Amino acid sequence: MKEVALLLPPIFMLLQANLLEAQTFREASNLLRSAENIPALGGACAVDFNNDGLADIYTRGRLYLNKGSAGFVDVLLSTNMIPGGDVFGAAFGDYDNDGYPDIFFEDLAASGRLYRNRRNGAFTRTDQTTNLAAHPAAQGAAWGDFNLDGKLDLFVNNDFGTNRISQSK
């Protein structure tokens, strides 16, 4: 019992120190620079797609490149990606293991689209050449190594129809 009593004061002090350093937030939406304000109907995600150490943001119709203190710039049009008209969201994952995150677009009206990151700010559509099974009405996707073979697989949640897992070969 004496040993437990000796541990309590250091643990209490550690908890107190963590509370004093709790994270706070400030409004910074002014950093998002875009020509027009399109409402985000669906999901958003953050990823460092160009490997510069800064988290970039994807939301429907926008891919915001993080420029640090200069804010964010929408670069979607310069990436060669066409997400689709009814995109619900997107999921980033490095399916080709080259160190750069690739992107899968979930679509409510058409088959989902997979784009490979070319490591130069551009992407190439690859869902047709990779045999990715992504049917319309996708409303959620997640990358993970579901079969533990060291390669990313893709789970796609479909609103209507069967959910799908596409395993890497």
Coordinates of all heavy atoms in Angstrom, one line a residue, residues 80-148:
N80 N -5.3 17.3 -62.5 CA -5.8 16.3 -63.5 C -6.9 15.4 -62.9 O -7.2 14.4 -63.5 CB -4.7 15.5 -64.1 CG -3.7 16.3 -64.8 OD1 -4.0 17.3 -65.4 ND2 -2.5 15.9 -64.8
M81 N -7.4 15.7 -61.7 CA -8.5 14.9 -61.2 C -9.9 15.5 -61.5 O -10.1 16.7 -61.4 CB -8.4 14.8 -59.6 CG -7.2 14.0 -59.2 SD -7.2 13.7 -57.4 CE -6.8 15.3 -56.7
I82 N -10.8 14.6 -61.8 CA -12.2 15.0 -62.0 C -13.0 14.1 -61.0 O -13.2 12.9 -61.3 CB -12.7 14.7 -63.4 CG1 -11.8 15.5 -64.4 CG2 -14.1 15.1 -63.6 CD1 -12.0 15.1 -65.9
P83 N -13.2 14.7 -59.8 CA -13.9 13.9 -58.8 C -15.2 13.3 -59.2 O -15.5 12.2 -58.8 CB -14.0 14.8 -57.6 CG -13.1 16.0 -57.9 CD -13.0 16.0 -59.4
G84 N -16.0 14.0 -59.9 CA -17.4 13.6 -60.2 C -18.4 14.6 -59.7 O -18.1 15.4 -58.8
G85 N -19.6 14.5 -60.2 CA -20.6 15.5 -59.9 C -21.3 15.2 -58.5 O -21.7 16.2 -57.9
D86 N -21.4 14.0 -58.1 CA -22.1 13.6 -56.9 C -21.2 13.0 -55.9 O -21.5 12.0 -55.2 CB -23.3 12.7 -57.2 CG -24.4 13.4 -57.9 OD1 -24.7 14.6 -57.5 OD2 -25.0 12.9 -58.8
V87 N -20.0 13.6 -55.7 CA -19.0 13.0 -54.8 C -19.5 13.2 -53.4 O -19.8 14.3 -53.0 CB -17.6 13.7 -55.0 CG1 -16.7 13.3 -53.9 CG2 -17.1 13.3 -56.4
F88 N -19.5 12.2 -52.6 CA -19.9 12.2 -51.2 C -18.7 12.5 -50.3 O -18.8 13.2 -49.3 CB -20.6 10.9 -50.8 CG -21.2 11.0 -49.4 CD1 -22.4 11.7 -49.2 CD2 -20.5 10.4 -48.4 CE1 -22.9 11.7 -47.9 CE2 -21.1 10.5 -47.1 CZ -22.3 11.1 -46.9
G89 N -17.6 12.0 -50.7 CA -16.4 12.2 -49.9 C -15.2 11.6 -50.6 O -15.3 11.2 -51.8
A90 N -14.1 11.5 -49.9 CA -12.9 11.0 -50.4 C -12.1 10.3 -49.3 O -12.2 10.6 -48.2 CB -12.0 12.1 -51.1
A91 N -11.2 9.4 -49.7 CA -10.3 8.7 -48.8 C -8.9 8.6 -49.4 O -8.8 8.2 -50.5 CB -10.9 7.3 -48.5
F92 N -8.0 9.1 -48.7 CA -6.6 9.0 -49.1 C -5.9 7.8 -48.6 O -6.1 7.5 -47.4 CB -5.8 10.3 -48.7 CG -6.1 11.5 -49.5 CD1 -7.1 12.4 -49.2 CD2 -5.3 11.8 -50.6 CE1 -7.4 13.5 -49.9 CE2 -5.5 13.0 -51.3 CZ -6.6 13.8 -51.0
G93 N -5.1 7.2 -49.4 CA -4.2 6.0 -48.9 C -3.2 5.8 -50.0 O -3.4 5.9 -51.2
D94 N -2.0 5.3 -49.5 CA -0.9 5.0 -50.5 C -1.0 3.6 -50.9 O -0.2 2.7 -50.5 CB 0.4 5.3 -49.7 CG 1.6 5.2 -50.6 OD1 1.5 5.1 -51.9 OD2 2.7 5.1 -50.1
Y95 N -1.9 3.3 -51.9 CA -2.1 1.9 -52.3 C -1.0 1.4 -53.1 O -0.8 0.2 -53.2 CB -3.4 1.8 -53.1 CG -3.4 2.2 -54.6 CD1 -3.0 1.2 -55.5 CD2 -3.6 3.5 -55.0 CE1 -2.9 1.6 -56.9 CE2 -3.5 3.8 -56.3 CZ -3.2 2.9 -57.3 OH -3.1 3.2 -58.6
D96 N -0.1 2.2 -53.7 CA 1.0 1.7 -54.5 C 2.3 1.8 -53.8 O 3.4 1.5 -54.3 CB 1.1 2.5 -55.9 CG 1.3 4.0 -55.7 OD1 1.3 4.5 -54.5 OD2 1.4 4.7 -56.7
N97 N 2.3 2.1 -52.5 CA 3.4 2.1 -51.6 C 4.6 2.9 -52.1 O 5.8 2.5 -52.0 CB 3.9 0.6 -51.3 CG 2.9 -0.1 -50.5 OD1 2.3 0.4 -49.5 ND2 2.6 -1.4 -50.8
D98 N 4.4 4.1 -52.7 CA 5.5 4.9 -53.2 C 5.7 6.1 -52.3 O 6.6 6.9 -52.6 CB 5.2 5.4 -54.6 CG 4.0 6.4 -54.7 OD1 3.3 6.6 -53.7 OD2 3.8 6.9 -55.8
G99 N 5.0 6.1 -51.1 CA 5.3 7.2 -50.2 C 4.4 8.4 -50.3 O 4.5 9.3 -49.6
Y100 N 3.5 8.4 -51.4 CA 2.6 9.5 -51.6 C 1.2 9.0 -51.6 O 0.9 8.0 -52.3 CB 2.9 10.2 -53.0 CG 4.2 11.0 -53.0 CD1 5.4 10.5 -53.1 CD2 4.1 12.4 -53.0 CE1 6.6 11.2 -53.1 CE2 5.2 13.2 -53.0 CZ 6.4 12.6 -53.0 OH 7.6 13.4 -53.0
P101 N 0.3 9.7 -50.9 CA -1.1 9.3 -50.8 C -1.8 9.4 -52.1 O -1.7 10.5 -52.7 CB -1.7 10.2 -49.7 CG -0.7 11.3 -49.5 CD 0.6 10.9 -50.0
D102 N -2.6 8.4 -52.4 CA -3.4 8.4 -53.6 C -4.9 8.7 -53.1 O -5.1 8.7 -51.9 CB -3.4 7.0 -54.3 CG -1.9 6.6 -54.5 OD1 -1.2 7.3 -55.3 OD2 -1.4 5.6 -53.9
I103 N -5.8 8.9 -54.0 CA -7.2 9.3 -53.5 C -8.3 8.5 -54.2 O -8.2 8.2 -55.4 CB -7.4 10.8 -53.7 CG1 -8.7 11.3 -53.1 CG2 -7.3 11.2 -55.2 CD1 -8.9 12.8 -53.0
F104 N -9.2 8.1 -53.4 CA -10.4 7.4 -53.9 C -11.6 8.4 -53.6 O -11.8 8.8 -52.5 CB -10.7 6.1 -53.2 CG -12.0 5.5 -53.6 CD1 -12.1 4.9 -54.8 CD2 -13.1 5.5 -52.8 CE1 -13.4 4.3 -55.2 CE2 -14.3 5.0 -53.1 CZ -14.4 4.4 -54.3
F105 N -12.4 8.7 -54.7 CA -13.6 9.5 -54.6 C -14.8 8.7 -54.5 O -15.0 7.8 -55.4 CB -13.7 10.5 -55.8 CG -12.6 11.6 -55.8 CD1 -11.6 11.5 -56.7 CD2 -12.7 12.6 -54.9 CE1 -10.6 12.5 -56.8 CE2 -11.7 13.6 -55.0 CZ -10.7 13.5 -55.9
E106 N -15.6 8.9 -53.5 CA -16.9 8.2 -53.3 C -17.9 9.0 -54.1 O -18.0 10.2 -54.0 CB -17.3 8.2 -51.9 CG -16.3 7.7 -50.9 CD -16.4 8.3 -49.5 OE1 -17.4 8.9 -49.2 OE2 -15.5 8.1 -48.7
D107 N -18.8 8.3 -54.9 CA -19.7 9.0 -55.7 C -21.1 8.3 -55.5 O -21.2 7.1 -55.5 CB -19.3 8.9 -57.2 CG -20.0 9.9 -58.1 OD1 -21.2 10.1 -58.0 OD2 -19.3 10.5 -58.9
L108 N -22.1 9.2 -55.4 CA -23.5 8.7 -55.3 C -24.1 8.3 -56.6 O -25.0 7.4 -56.6 CB -24.3 9.8 -54.6 CG -23.9 10.2 -53.2 CD1 -24.7 11.4 -52.7 CD2 -24.1 9.0 -52.2
A109 N -23.7 8.8 -57.7 CA -24.4 8.6 -59.0 C -23.6 7.8 -60.0 O -24.1 7.3 -60.9 CB -24.8 9.9 -59.6
A110 N -22.3 7.7 -59.8 CA -21.4 6.9 -60.7 C -20.4 6.1 -59.9 O -20.4 6.2 -58.7 CB -20.7 7.9 -61.6
S111 N -19.7 5.2 -60.6 CA -18.7 4.4 -59.9 C -17.6 5.3 -59.3 O -17.3 6.4 -59.9 CB -18.0 3.5 -60.9 OG -19.0 2.5 -61.3
G112 N -17.1 4.9 -58.1 CA -16.1 5.7 -57.5 C -14.8 5.7 -58.4 O -14.7 4.9 -59.3
R113 N -14.0 6.7 -58.1 CA -12.8 6.9 -59.0 C -11.5 6.9 -58.1 O -11.5 7.5 -57.0 CB -12.9 8.2 -59.7 CG -13.8 8.1 -60.9 CD -14.2 9.4 -61.5 NE -15.1 10.3 -60.7 CZ -16.3 9.9 -60.4 NH1 -16.8 8.7 -60.6 NH2 -17.1 10.8 -59.7
L114 N -10.5 6.1 -58.5 CA -9.2 6.0 -57.9 C -8.2 6.8 -58.7 O -8.1 6.5 -59.9 CB -8.8 4.6 -57.7 CG -7.5 4.3 -57.0 CD1 -7.4 4.8 -55.6 CD2 -7.1 2.8 -57.1
Y115 N -7.5 7.7 -58.0 CA -6.4 8.4 -58.7 C -5.1 8.2 -58.0 O -5.0 8.3 -56.8 CB -6.7 9.9 -58.6 CG -7.8 10.4 -59.6 CD1 -9.1 10.3 -59.3 CD2 -7.4 10.8 -60.9 CE1 -10.1 10.7 -60.2 CE2 -8.4 11.2 -61.8 CZ -9.7 11.2 -61.4 OH -10.7 11.6 -62.4
R116 N -4.1 7.9 -58.8 CA -2.7 7.6 -58.3 C -2.0 8.9 -58.3 O -2.0 9.7 -59.2 CB -2.0 6.7 -59.2 CG -0.6 6.3 -58.7 CD 0.0 5.2 -59.6 NE 1.4 5.0 -59.0 CZ 2.5 5.2 -59.7 NH1 2.4 5.6 -61.0 NH2 3.6 4.9 -59.2
N117 N -1.3 9.2 -57.2 CA -0.5 10.4 -57.0 C 0.8 10.3 -57.8 O 1.5 9.3 -57.6 CB -0.2 10.6 -55.5 CG 0.4 11.9 -55.2 OD1 1.1 12.5 -56.0 ND2 0.1 12.4 -54.0
R118 N 1.0 11.2 -58.7 CA 2.2 11.1 -59.6 C 3.4 11.8 -58.9 O 4.5 11.9 -59.6 CB 1.9 11.8 -60.9 CG 0.7 11.2 -61.7 CD 0.8 9.8 -61.9 NE 1.9 9.5 -62.8 CZ 2.4 8.3 -63.1 NH1 1.8 7.2 -62.6 NH2 3.4 8.1 -63.8
R119 N 3.3 12.3 -57.7 CA 4.4 12.9 -56.9 C 4.9 14.2 -57.5 O 5.9 14.7 -57.1 CB 5.6 11.9 -56.8 CG 5.2 10.6 -56.1 CD 6.3 9.6 -56.1 NE 6.4 9.1 -57.4 CZ 7.2 8.1 -57.8 NH1 8.0 7.6 -56.9 NH2 7.3 7.7 -59.0
N120 N 4.1 14.8 -58.4 CA 4.5 16.1 -58.9 C 3.3 17.1 -58.9 O 3.3 18.1 -59.6 CB 5.0 15.9 -60.4 CG 3.9 15.4 -61.3 OD1 2.8 15.1 -60.9 ND2 4.3 15.2 -62.6
G121 N 2.3 16.8 -58.1 CA 1.1 17.7 -58.0 C 0.0 17.2 -58.9 O -1.1 17.8 -58.9
A122 N 0.2 16.2 -59.7 CA -0.8 15.7 -60.6 C -1.2 14.3 -60.2 O -0.4 13.6 -59.5 CB -0.3 15.7 -62.0
F123 N -2.3 13.8 -60.7 CA -2.8 12.5 -60.4 C -3.3 11.9 -61.7 O -3.6 12.6 -62.7 CB -4.0 12.6 -59.4 CG -3.7 13.0 -58.0 CD1 -3.4 14.3 -57.7 CD2 -3.7 12.0 -57.0 CE1 -3.0 14.6 -56.4 CE2 -3.3 12.3 -55.7 CZ -3.0 13.7 -55.4
T124 N -3.3 10.5 -61.8 CA -3.7 9.8 -62.9 C -4.8 8.8 -62.5 O -4.7 8.1 -61.5 CB -2.6 8.9 -63.5 OG1 -1.5 9.8 -63.9 CG2 -3.0 8.1 -64.7
R125 N -5.9 8.8 -63.2 CA -7.0 7.9 -62.9 C -6.6 6.4 -63.1 O -6.1 6.1 -64.2 CB -8.3 8.2 -63.7 CG -9.5 7.4 -63.2 CD -10.8 7.9 -63.8 NE -11.8 7.0 -63.5 CZ -13.1 7.2 -63.8 NH1 -13.4 8.2 -64.6 NH2 -14.0 6.3 -63.5
T126 N -6.9 5.6 -62.1 CA -6.4 4.2 -62.2 C -7.4 3.1 -61.8 O -7.1 2.0 -61.9 CB -5.2 4.0 -61.3 OG1 -5.5 4.2 -60.0 CG2 -4.0 4.8 -61.8
D127 N -8.7 3.5 -61.5 CA -9.6 2.5 -61.1 C -9.9 1.5 -62.1 O -10.1 0.3 -61.8 CB -10.9 3.2 -60.5 CG -11.5 4.2 -61.5 OD1 -11.1 5.3 -61.5 OD2 -12.4 3.8 -62.3
Q128 N -9.9 1.9 -63.4 CA -10.2 1.0 -64.5 C -9.0 0.0 -64.7 O -9.2 -1.2 -65.0 CB -10.5 1.7 -65.8 CG -11.8 2.5 -65.6 CD -11.8 3.8 -66.3 OE1 -10.8 4.3 -66.7 NE2 -13.0 4.4 -66.5
T129 N -7.8 0.4 -64.6 CA -6.6 -0.4 -64.8 C -6.3 -1.3 -63.6 O -5.5 -2.2 -63.7 CB -5.4 0.4 -65.2 OG1 -5.1 1.3 -64.2 CG2 -5.7 1.1 -66.5
T130 N -6.8 -0.9 -62.4 CA -6.5 -1.7 -61.2 C -7.6 -2.7 -60.8 O -7.5 -3.3 -59.8 CB -6.2 -0.7 -60.0 OG1 -7.4 0.1 -59.8 CG2 -5.0 0.1 -60.2
N131 N -8.7 -2.7 -61.6 CA -9.8 -3.6 -61.4 C -10.5 -3.3 -60.0 O -11.0 -4.2 -59.4 CB -9.4 -5.1 -61.4 CG -8.9 -5.5 -62.8 OD1 -9.5 -5.1 -63.8 ND2 -7.8 -6.2 -62.8
L132 N -10.5 -2.1 -59.6 CA -11.2 -1.7 -58.4 C -12.7 -1.8 -58.5 O -13.3 -1.3 -59.4 CB -10.8 -0.2 -58.0 CG -11.3 0.3 -56.7 CD1 -10.6 -0.4 -55.6 CD2 -11.1 1.8 -56.6
A133 N -13.3 -2.5 -57.6 CA -14.7 -2.7 -57.6 C -15.4 -1.6 -56.8 O -15.4 -1.7 -55.5 CB -15.1 -4.1 -57.0
A134 N -15.8 -0.6 -57.4 CA -16.4 0.6 -56.7 C -17.7 1.0 -57.5 O -17.6 1.6 -58.5 CB -15.4 1.7 -56.6
H135 N -18.8 0.6 -57.0 CA -20.1 0.8 -57.6 C -20.7 2.1 -57.2 O -20.3 2.7 -56.2 CB -21.0 -0.3 -57.3 CG -20.4 -1.6 -57.9 ND1 -20.5 -1.9 -59.2 CD2 -19.8 -2.7 -57.3 CE1 -19.9 -3.1 -59.4 NE2 -19.5 -3.6 -58.2
P136 N -21.7 2.6 -57.9 CA -22.4 3.9 -57.5 C -23.0 3.8 -56.1 O -23.1 2.7 -55.6 CB -23.5 4.0 -58.6 CG -23.0 3.2 -59.7 CD -22.2 2.1 -59.1
A137 N -23.3 4.9 -55.6 CA -23.9 5.1 -54.3 C -22.9 4.8 -53.1 O -23.3 4.4 -52.0 CB -25.1 4.2 -54.1
A138 N -21.6 5.1 -53.3 CA -20.7 5.0 -52.3 C -20.8 6.2 -51.3 O -20.9 7.3 -51.7 CB -19.2 5.0 -52.8
Q139 N -20.9 5.9 -50.0 CA -21.0 6.9 -49.0 C -20.1 6.7 -47.9 O -20.4 6.9 -46.7 CB -22.5 7.0 -48.5 CG -23.4 7.6 -49.5 CD -24.7 8.0 -48.8 OE1 -24.7 8.3 -47.6 NE2 -25.8 8.0 -49.6
G140 N -18.9 6.3 -48.2 CA -17.9 6.0 -47.2 C -16.8 5.1 -47.7 O -17.2 4.1 -48.4
A141 N -15.6 5.4 -47.4 CA -14.5 4.5 -47.8 C -13.4 4.6 -46.8 O -13.2 5.6 -46.2 CB -14.0 4.9 -49.2
A142 N -12.7 3.5 -46.7 CA -11.6 3.5 -45.7 C -10.5 2.5 -46.2 O -10.8 1.4 -46.7 CB -12.1 3.0 -44.4
W143 N -9.3 3.0 -46.2 CA -8.1 2.2 -46.5 C -7.6 1.5 -45.3 O -7.6 2.0 -44.2 CB -7.0 3.1 -47.1 CG -7.3 3.8 -48.4 CD1 -7.7 5.0 -48.6 CD2 -7.1 3.2 -49.7 NE1 -7.8 5.3 -49.9 CE2 -7.5 4.2 -50.6 CE3 -6.7 1.9 -50.1 CZ2 -7.4 3.9 -52.0 CZ3 -6.6 1.7 -51.5 CH2 -7.0 2.7 -52.4
G144 N -7.2 0.2 -45.5 CA -6.6 -0.5 -44.4 C -6.0 -1.8 -44.9 O -6.4 -2.3 -46.0
D145 N -5.1 -2.4 -44.2 CA -4.5 -3.7 -44.6 C -5.3 -4.8 -44.0 O -5.0 -5.4 -43.0 CB -3.0 -3.7 -44.2 CG -2.4 -5.0 -44.6 OD1 -3.0 -5.8 -45.4 OD2 -1.2 -5.2 -44.2
F146 N -6.5 -5.0 -44.6 CA -7.5 -5.9 -44.0 C -7.0 -7.4 -44.0 O -7.5 -8.2 -43.1 CB -8.8 -5.8 -44.6 CG -9.4 -4.4 -44.6 CD1 -9.6 -3.6 -45.7 CD2 -9.7 -3.8 -43.4 CE1 -10.1 -2.3 -45.7 CE2 -10.2 -2.5 -43.3 CZ -10.4 -1.8 -44.5
N147 N -6.2 -7.8 -44.9 CA -5.7 -9.2 -45.0 C -4.3 -9.3 -44.5 O -3.7 -10.4 -44.6 CB -5.9 -9.8 -46.4 CG -5.1 -9.0 -47.4 OD1 -4.5 -7.9 -47.1 ND2 -5.2 -9.5 -48.6
L148 N -3.7 -8.3 -43.9 CA -2.4 -8.3 -43.3 C -1.3 -8.8 -44.2 O -0.4 -9.5 -43.8 CB -2.4 -9.1 -42.0 CG -3.4 -8.7 -40.9 CD1 -3.4 -9.6 -39.8 CD2 -3.1 -7.2 -40.5

